[in-house]
Amino acid sequence: MTFSWKRINAIFMKDYKDFSRNLAVSMVIFLPPILAAFIGRMGAASIESYYMIINMAFGMVASYVQSCLIAEEKEKNTLRGLMLSPATTTEILTGKTLLSFVLTIVTILLSIVLAGYNPANIAIIAVAIILSTFFYLGLGTLLGLYAKSVMEASVLVLPVMIIFSFGTMIIALVEQYPILKAATYLPNIQLLEIAAKVEAGIGFGDIWLHLAIIAAWAVASFATAVVIYRKRMVD
Amino acid sequence: MTLEFINAEKRIHDSLIFPSFNLTVNKGQVVAVYSSVNVREQLIHLLLGKSSLSHGEIRLDGSFKQTNCPGFFFLHHSLYERLSVLEMLRFTKKLHHSEVSIDDMLRLAQLDAKRAIRIKQLSFSEQKRVQFACLLIQNPSIFVLEEPDQNMDLESKRIYLSILQHLSADEKVIFILTGNLESAVTSADTVFRLDANGLQSIQMKTEDERDEASDPIGMVESTQPVRFEKIPTKVNDKIVLFNPPEIDYIESNEGQTFLHIKGESFPCVFTLTELEERLLPFGFFRCHRSYIVNLQKVREVVTWTRNSYSLVLEDLSKSTIPLSKSKMVELKEMLGLK
């Protein structure tokens, strides 16, 4: 199995051009920065509101864009061409994931700057955000493999967006309903806890557990995506 | 590089798709297989490696089949509609690490003027040509073409045929799968029919061969009592010969005779009277002023009124053919009825 950067680059460039001309999908990357700008200008922004925006960016950009990229290949019958080419599964998925990854990171950076969020320890936050991005990309790939068209993908991604961007508010209910304690292991809430601890000045030693949980989510989502890909693509 | 089918046979749940056949396509050869959609799909699946043969094997270049080796031209194109023609070709070139020049291929598919236009804005035939250009850039040694010229405009068909010539001169193996006999005959050197009865070759002669042959035939007819049995028809610049039993019926329309064979019609140079004379020994019957029917294929005689009758054939479309009143009497006599 040869791993060719030239092919990955070809897929990346093709997807970039295709994506930039597909306004219906590319519009979503502007939403989180615009919302962030509002929150930043209104003042009195809390760490929760910053993370609502960041989690929304994950759902809208990482998951949504990734699932649309894959679903469109299926809908337009172009995935067959890719699979008949010498490009391997890893190369196809890497090329596609690379574009969504870059877009997510750029959108989140822009949102953070516009919202005026200034984390106390940039390195830890960066690692946490990159790990979370992988989780959402895996989730997006999974949705894209399930959906048969872009339309279906955009409907499927809605619950993901809602659970992961507004789901952070679940924390408030944990006191009342102890069963919701399980939900605190969700990657979006883990991310928020990391951010809160960083602000409180706690060092890396206490945070690695949270990072490990997010990493586990990311690995799980990618593993499922690969299994589903193999299953779906055989027939 | 060759494409070989050895004792290839396919069955799906007890029903026979095609019985075992042998076929070898050598380099520089254009071979078309004329078949139904089912058979065509099965062949494509087999070549893609998605299903396997019930018996026999498919070999590429003498070895067992490996997927990714042939280049496929599918009925449904897979192009990125939002990319321009040039971007699409560049992408294909990078994806396949190909050494082929994009400009040459653009010229071959005559898309030079369209290179900056997005694929979405091209016409169907132009999109098909882009698809062909992509395949040319992949530069496989075996080309498998599925209904290559279906719904194409005349200009694109001409370009497609010239590309085929170029490929065949380039020592490529070309295997065309089509359900249209005319397309098969115009694009390929050798045409086969593949169905549940097996693989049969459809004989053809090209125009120049015919020119040499036509005079002797004329002489034969005038000097010798031996008759040439096959009935020639014309498809573009080629002559296709049919065995009389294959013919369902013959129709004359505005002075031109047409042979109807398995739902398709082929113009024929002979007049109805000439054909009647030739085909009488094969059980053909002049049932109407402008029709000759193959009596072997007649299933029913329908009486509409006392004076109007029709013959229903047992072909797929259940064609009905008029039967005139005077001929009805003749037919009844032939059948031994009163």
Side-chain angles (χ1 to χ4, degrees):
Chain A
M1 195 149 101
T2 52
F3 197 73
S4 151
W5 280 106
K6 203 178 158 194
R7 277 192 212 120
I8 292 177
N9 187 36
I11 294 174
F12 177 78
M13 287 314 289
K14 183 268 297 170
D15 275 333
Y16 166 68
K17 281 177 195 149
D18 202 48
F19 174 80
S20 58
R21 287 168 198 174
N22 186 359
L23 277 182
V25 176
S26 55
M27 282 300 275
V28 298
I29 68 165
F30 297 110
L31 274 172
I34 292 173
L35 219 61
F38 269 117
I39 287 185
R41 299 299 169 278
M42 282 195 304
S46 62
I47 195 112
E48 278 83 10
S49 58
Y50 293 141
Y51 275 86
M52 197 181 85
I53 300 281
I54 290 174
N55 280 324
M56 186 190 262
F58 280 137
M60 279 189 172
V61 184
S63 297
Y64 179 64
V65 169
Q66 176 78 353
S67 65
C68 284
L69 282 179
I70 291 173
E72 184 164 23
E73 295 267 359
K74 281 167 70 180
E75 186 184 355
K76 296 274 166 66
N77 219 352
T78 46
L79 198 58
R80 179 160 70 168
L82 275 184
M83 294 184 60
L84 283 176
S85 76
T88 59
T89 308
T90 340
E91 285 165 356
I92 297 171
L93 284 182
T94 316
K96 296 209 154 291
T97 314
L98 201 60
L99 177 70
S100 323
F101 181 76
V102 170
L103 285 173
T104 314
I105 296 298
V106 169
T107 315
I108 286 178
L109 270 182
L110 205 62
S111 308
I112 288 179
V113 170
L114 284 173
Y117 171 47
N118 215 343
N121 187 339
I122 292 182
I124 291 179
I125 295 295
V127 170
I129 284 182
I130 288 172
L131 277 179
S132 309
T133 310
F134 282 119
F135 163 70
Y136 288 97
L137 287 175
L139 201 62
T141 312
L142 212 58
L143 292 176
L145 290 174
Y146 265 109
K148 286 182 192 67
S149 64
V150 176
M151 176 82 97
E152 212 180 314
S154 23
V155 173
L156 281 180
V157 87
L158 273 180
V160 171
M161 280 197 225
I162 291 169
I163 291 174
F164 291 108
S165 55
F166 300 104
T168 327
M169 295 166 189
I170 278 183
I171 290 186
L173 301 175
V174 168
E175 301 278 290
Q176 211 176 334
Y177 306 100
I179 196 157
L180 286 176
K181 195 138 197 166
T184 55
Y185 286 99
L186 283 175
N188 54 340
I189 295 173
Q190 292 295 321
L191 184 64
L192 185 63
E193 276 181 30
I194 291 176
K197 283 190 178 170
V198 164
E199 289 307 307
I202 295 171
F204 192 75
D206 286 312
I207 286 170
W208 69 269
L209 183 67
H210 298 296
L211 287 178
I213 291 175
I214 296 182
W217 277 99
V219 169
S221 76
F222 263 93
T224 332
V226 167
V227 169
I228 298 282
Y229 183 89
R230 298 247 161 90
K231 244 188 200 166
R232 290 242 149 179
M233 294 310 142
V234 165
D235 43 60
Chain B
M1 193 51 107
T2 54
L3 174 65
E4 277 180 279
F5 293 87
I6 301 160
N7 287 327
E9 179 185 314
K10 181 75 185 173
R11 288 168 184 277
I12 298 180
H13 313 302
D14 291 343
S15 76
L16 183 68
I17 305 293
F18 50 80
S20 91
F21 69 95
N22 290 307
L23 174 64
T24 309
V25 190
N26 293 315
K27 55 187 179 184
Q29 227 182 353
V30 185
V31 170
V33 167
Y34 164 66
S35 66
S36 68
V37 179
N38 293 10
V39 174
R40 190 185 79 211
E41 279 179 350
Q42 281 308 319
L43 279 175
I44 296 245
H45 278 246
L46 290 169
L47 288 167
L48 278 172
K50 281 187 185 169
S51 59
S52 50
L53 286 164
S54 312
H55 285 292
E57 60 197 3
I58 298 176
R59 284 186 186 178
L60 304 177
D61 198 19
S63 64
F64 281 101
K65 68 171 286 39
Q66 325 122 12
T67 44
N68 289 355
C69 203
F72 287 91
F73 181 87
F74 291 110
L75 177 57
H76 298 288
H77 68 72
S78 55
L79 300 169
Y80 294 96
E81 294 182 329
R82 281 183 285 269
L83 297 188
S84 73
V85 174
L86 196 60
E87 285 165 346
M88 181 72 214
L89 296 186
R90 278 208 190 118
F91 168 64
T92 316
K93 182 172 167 156
K94 278 193 201 152
L95 195 65
H96 289 263
H97 287 308
S98 165
E99 302 296 323
V100 182
S101 145
I102 290 180
D103 284 323
D104 288 353
M105 293 309 133
L106 276 175
R107 218 165 302 129
L108 205 55
Q110 303 198 8
L111 288 162
D112 262 332
K114 305 268 180 192
R115 54 166 63 208
I117 296 180
R118 292 191 191 169
I119 290 170
K120 200 163 35 175
Q121 287 154 3
L122 295 175
S123 73
F124 174 80
S125 304
E126 285 162 345
Q127 289 179 351
K128 284 300 241 192
R129 265 148 62 193
V130 177
Q131 190 190 357
F132 225 108
C134 285
L135 188 61
L136 289 171
I137 283 178
Q138 293 173 24
N139 197 22
S141 43
I142 297 177
F143 285 74
V144 178
L145 313 178
E146 181 189 16
E147 296 286 6
D149 58 351
Q150 195 182 70
N151 293 357
M152 260 195 191
D153 58 21
L154 280 176
E155 168 74 359
S156 301
K157 251 183 206 171
R158 193 182 55 70
I159 295 169
Y160 153 72
L161 289 175
S162 75
I163 294 177
L164 276 190
Q165 263 176 6
H166 169 89
L167 288 177
S168 132
D170 224 14
E171 302 269 278
K172 303 289 188 190
V173 175
I174 302 163
F175 187 57
I176 300 172
L177 296 164
T178 177
N180 182 339
L181 190 53
E182 192 211 326
S183 148
V185 167
T186 37
S187 41
D189 313 324
T190 327
V191 181
F192 294 96
R193 169 184 293 153
L194 181 61
D195 51 26
N197 300 324
L199 188 76
Q200 291 144 7
S201 134
I202 296 178
Q203 292 178 40
M204 293 191 303
K205 286 184 183 176
T206 52
E207 190 84 327
D208 12 320
E209 286 171 47
R210 205 245 339 190
D211 285 342
E212 293 160 21
S214 63
D215 285 345
I217 286 177
M219 275 159 55
V220 165
E221 278 196 302
S222 57
T223 54
Q224 289 177 14
V226 179
R227 279 253 171 72
F228 183 58
E229 281 182 14
K230 296 218 170 174
I231 306 297
T233 62
K234 217 170 165 186
V235 179
N236 292 358
D237 60 340
K238 288 184 183 170
I239 307 274
V240 186
L241 303 178
F242 285 105
N243 262 331
E246 280 185 289
I247 302 169
D248 293 332
Y249 63 98
I250 302 158
E251 178 189 21
S252 158
N253 197 351
E254 296 180 356
Q256 172 73 55
T257 46
F258 292 93
L259 305 187
H260 288 261
I261 293 144
K262 292 206 169 169
E264 287 190 67
S265 72
F266 299 89
C268 175
V269 284
F270 298 106
T271 64
L272 271 192
T273 327
E274 284 167 336
L275 284 171
E276 185 188 2
E277 203 177 306
R278 270 185 145 190
L279 292 171
L280 205 59
F282 295 97
F284 280 71
F285 176 62
R286 180 81 175 257
C287 56
H288 186 269
R289 211 164 58 90
S290 39
Y291 286 91
I292 296 177
V293 69
N294 183 353
L295 281 180
Q296 313 295 328
K297 305 248 175 160
V298 176
R299 170 66 64 203
E300 277 178 67
V301 181
V302 185
T303 310
W304 301 114
T305 63
R306 276 172 57 90
N307 295 325
S308 90
Y309 311 94
S310 279
L311 297 173
V312 179
L313 303 192
E314 58 186 5
D315 59 349
L316 287 177
S317 53
K318 300 263 178 290
S319 325
T320 46
I321 294 162
L323 173 65
S324 49
K325 194 188 169 194
S326 56
K327 300 287 180 179
M328 179 65 179
V329 181
E330 216 173 296
L331 181 68
K332 272 189 173 169
E333 272 172 26
M334 283 177 81
L335 294 171
L337 299 167
K338 275 181 199 171

